[in-house]
Amino acid sequence: MVSTSMSKYKTSGYKGSCDYGKSDEREGRSCVRYKCGLLNTIQDVLRQRPNWVEVKDDGEWDFNWCDVGWLRENFGHTYMEEHVRINHFRNHYELTRKNLMVKNLKRYQKNLERDMGRVEASRCDFFPCTFALPSEYHLFVEEFNRSPGSTWIMKPVAKSQGKGIFLFRKLKDIMDWKKDGTRSEEQKDFAQVENYVAQRYIEKPYLINGRKFDLRVYVLVTSYVPLKAWLYRDGFARFSGTRFSLSSIDDKYMHLTNVSVQKTAPDYDPEKGCKWQMQQLRRYLTAKHGREMVETLFKEMDNIFVRSLQSVQKVIINDKHCFELYGYDILLDQNLKPWLIEVNASPSHTPSSQEDYEMKCRLLEDTLNVVDMEGRLTGKEKRVGGYDLMWNDGPVYREDVNLQTSGSLCFTANTHLGCVNDREKQLRRLLKPFPYQKKV
């Protein structure tokens, strides 16, 4: 069954785990009762999962894929039995609100410098200079005046999809934005009630064919205490549709890579889209810069994922019922240095093409495989489908530890972002048939 919103994309190219065994033999609890508050790809994936049954309204559920609004209203007074799972941590916003993410990273970096020294703290130099407004306005003005002519970007802290974002080079532009009659009523309204971040704009991004892009990477956290995080092999680069230039800072199609922005461009081609799969990007960069430089880039991205999670580890309310699928937005500069732009608690699962739909189906299917409502895993796995265990109360290394010429062991991180995702083959080896099913 395909949900109405996804009906234009075919599910035939995507096969759920139901292929690993087909029988109606059942014993014990015969199904997983799920609730889903979203009408996009996740609904398709849940409906295709064997022995998962959707419950409506106030029905009892074992698994809930909810939006953050439902969580805010219901989490505090919902009793959950041992086996129950829900797709957000209670205060997920400590990492996913732009101002709180920066606040936590700054505090973490400061503590690192105090405890471990400046060199270790410099490992957190991966987010642009950022100030929360209006609370840090005076600090921002001091920094702004140190580098006149620099470009800054203004973002509402809790908006997504590029809403309310603009670039500026003069302080009066911020004042104008709050009161300017040319701005929309919506913008003027939330100017009075919403907080923003002012962030130094990356003026020299890495360009491909003259166009700016950012990366969307998926990280799944199944526990904060101890920290257990998985990195997905697939992801994508999102390109702007207009050649990059700093001569025009008002052109949103040039500076914002959000698909929701790009698809409103007059010359947007939905068939062509504005995405590259992560494997394509990795191949391109390797061909241009060599394997060693690209491996360094991807290691630096691994560092971003782990450090950012560690920065909120002590403030996130850990709960064995919760997991979180984060969408990381990373920007590369002209020196191939990765910068953390933001982290999303509800990364869009609405597809922009058939290829995008199939990738998101794989991602969500494997998220369910890791969460493992069916109890098919041992808990010692380093890989489940397209997910590789990146951190498990400490770094996780690959099985193939190499002996270097000196004879010392060389440990390589167990991450494969942008590498081959032979998930179906791996899942067949890994997973027992679904409970109540026999292999055929």
Side-chain angles (χ1 to χ4, degrees):
M1 186 183 293
V2 182
S3 63
T4 310
S5 60
M6 297 297 102
S7 57
K8 69 176 182 175
Y9 296 111
K10 300 173 186 172
T11 55
S12 57
Y14 150 67
K15 295 179 180 177
S17 303
C18 51
D19 291 353
Y20 306 144
K22 294 177 182 176
S23 169
D24 287 331
E25 185 181 88
R26 303 183 177 199
E27 56 192 49
R29 187 159 52 87
S30 60
C31 66
V32 175
R33 301 162 299 177
Y34 74 86
K35 188 180 178 78
C36 182
L38 301 172
L39 289 174
N40 56 32
T41 313
I42 183 61
Q43 185 71 269
D44 290 355
V45 171
L46 289 166
R47 284 176 175 168
Q48 292 189 21
R49 203 157 177 89
N51 302 323
W52 283 51
V53 178
E54 185 171 11
V55 296
K56 298 290 187 181
D57 304 323
D58 297 329
E60 285 190 21
W61 46 269
D62 307 304
F63 180 93
N64 191 345
W65 195 286
C66 66
D67 59 32
V68 292
W70 187 96
L71 186 87
R72 191 166 51 245
E73 291 173 18
N74 297 280
F75 193 102
H77 45 86
T78 299
Y79 170 74
M80 288 185 274
E81 292 183 25
E82 180 81 17
H83 70 282
V84 168
R85 295 292 179 269
I86 191 166
N87 68 317
H88 293 294
F89 286 90
R90 190 170 189 166
N91 58 338
H92 59 85
Y93 46 77
E94 291 286 351
L95 183 60
T96 58
R97 277 180 75 111
K98 300 174 185 73
N99 56 339
L100 295 179
M101 179 190 84
V102 171
K103 173 187 166 186
N104 286 312
L105 281 168
K106 284 179 178 177
R107 186 189 61 239
Y108 176 71
Q109 188 172 28
K110 189 177 177 182
N111 291 342
L112 268 184
E113 185 167 350
R114 183 195 65 210
D115 299 337
M116 308 286 288
R118 192 164 292 177
V119 173
E120 184 69 13
S122 70
R123 298 282 288 144
C124 292
D125 289 337
F126 51 69
F127 57 100
C129 180
T130 307
F131 297 92
L133 302 185
S135 61
E136 296 180 329
Y137 181 76
H138 295 296
L139 291 172
F140 161 66
V141 171
E142 283 180 27
E143 182 64 31
F144 183 90
N145 289 333
R146 284 193 196 105
S147 51
S150 292
T151 308
W152 291 75
I153 186 166
M154 190 85 154
K155 306 175 184 180
V157 299
K159 297 283 179 184
S160 59
Q161 301 183 324
K163 294 186 183 87
I165 296 178
F166 66 97
L167 278 61
F168 67 99
R169 291 194 179 119
K170 297 175 183 175
L171 284 179
K172 76 174 185 66
D173 293 342
I174 304 179
M175 299 300 106
D176 287 349
W177 183 70
K178 285 189 176 182
K179 62 191 177 187
D180 187 1
T182 62
R183 299 282 173 182
S184 73
E185 285 302 316
E186 179 196 7
Q187 286 175 316
K188 283 193 287 187
D189 284 347
F190 77 36
Q192 294 157 21
V193 298
E194 186 111 33
N195 293 320
Y196 317 97
V197 291
Q199 191 171 74
R200 191 183 292 279
Y201 189 59
I202 307 293
E203 294 186 324
K204 295 180 178 179
Y206 189 96
L207 304 178
I208 294 180
N209 298 326
R211 288 169 170 80
K212 178 183 171 180
F213 64 94
D214 72 353
L215 308 180
R216 167 56 59 85
V217 183
Y218 296 100
V219 174
L220 174 65
V221 175
T222 51
S223 168
Y224 270 100
V225 183
L227 181 61
K228 190 167 186 178
W230 303 75
L231 179 65
Y232 205 63
R233 296 187 173 204
D234 296 345
F236 50 85
R238 301 177 295 193
F239 285 82
S240 64
T242 306
R243 293 179 72 85
F244 183 82
S245 167
L246 280 175
S247 60
S248 171
I249 63 171
D250 294 325
D251 187 343
K252 64 180 180 179
Y253 300 120
M254 180 188 295
H255 297 287
L256 303 183
T257 57
N258 311 65
V259 175
S260 50
V261 171
Q262 291 299 323
K263 69 183 183 185
T264 64
D267 56 348
Y268 178 73
D269 180 355
E271 293 302 313
K272 196 172 165 189
C274 51
K275 290 180 180 177
W276 278 14
Q277 292 298 312
M278 192 66 74
Q279 286 82 354
Q280 183 182 356
L281 179 75
R282 186 160 186 159
R283 285 195 301 270
Y284 174 90
L285 293 174
T286 301
K288 191 162 185 181
H289 300 284
R291 183 175 170 182
E292 189 176 338
M293 196 167 180
V294 172
E295 284 189 353
T296 298
L297 161 65
F298 278 77
K299 280 179 191 172
E300 287 178 1
M301 285 199 280
D302 291 347
N303 176 66
I304 290 176
F305 307 138
V306 171
R307 300 278 184 173
S308 60
L309 294 173
Q310 288 176 330
S311 77
V312 297
Q313 188 179 5
K314 291 181 179 176
V315 294
I316 293 280
I317 302 166
N318 191 60
D319 189 318
K320 64 187 175 187
H321 300 104
C322 303
F323 66 94
E324 193 96 40
L325 175 57
Y326 293 109
Y328 275 75
D329 291 345
I330 306 286
L331 183 71
L332 309 184
D333 68 18
Q334 64 177 8
N335 299 316
L336 276 188
K337 173 182 169 66
W339 294 88
L340 174 59
I341 302 304
E342 65 180 280
V343 184
N344 298 274
S346 301
S348 171
H349 300 309
T350 303
S352 54
S353 67
Q354 178 67 30
E355 181 183 48
D356 194 42
Y357 176 68
E358 291 176 8
M359 188 279 285
K360 284 172 176 169
C361 282
R362 294 192 297 269
L363 167 74
L364 294 167
E365 170 80 16
D366 286 340
T367 300
L368 299 182
N369 288 334
V370 171
V371 173
D372 191 31
M373 293 297 293
E374 299 90 353
R376 295 180 296 165
L377 303 179
T378 65
K380 296 179 181 177
E381 291 81 4
K382 284 188 177 181
R383 180 183 176 191
V384 177
Y387 275 112
D388 297 291
L389 184 60
M390 171 173 59
W391 194 268
N392 188 15
D393 203 20
V396 179
Y397 300 108
R398 295 182 194 178
E399 302 287 354
D400 53 336
V401 177
N402 298 318
L403 272 172
Q404 292 185 318
T405 50
S406 63
S408 61
L409 287 173
C410 174
F411 292 99
T412 307
N414 185 47
T415 53
H416 300 79
L417 180 61
C419 298
V420 173
N421 186 5
D422 53 342
R423 59 181 290 277
E424 291 190 11
K425 180 178 169 187
Q426 195 269 344
L427 287 170
R428 284 195 187 93
R429 285 200 312 267
L430 175 72
L431 295 180
K432 296 174 284 186
F434 277 98
Y436 333 119
Q437 294 181 335
K438 293 176 181 175
K439 278 189 176 176
V440 284

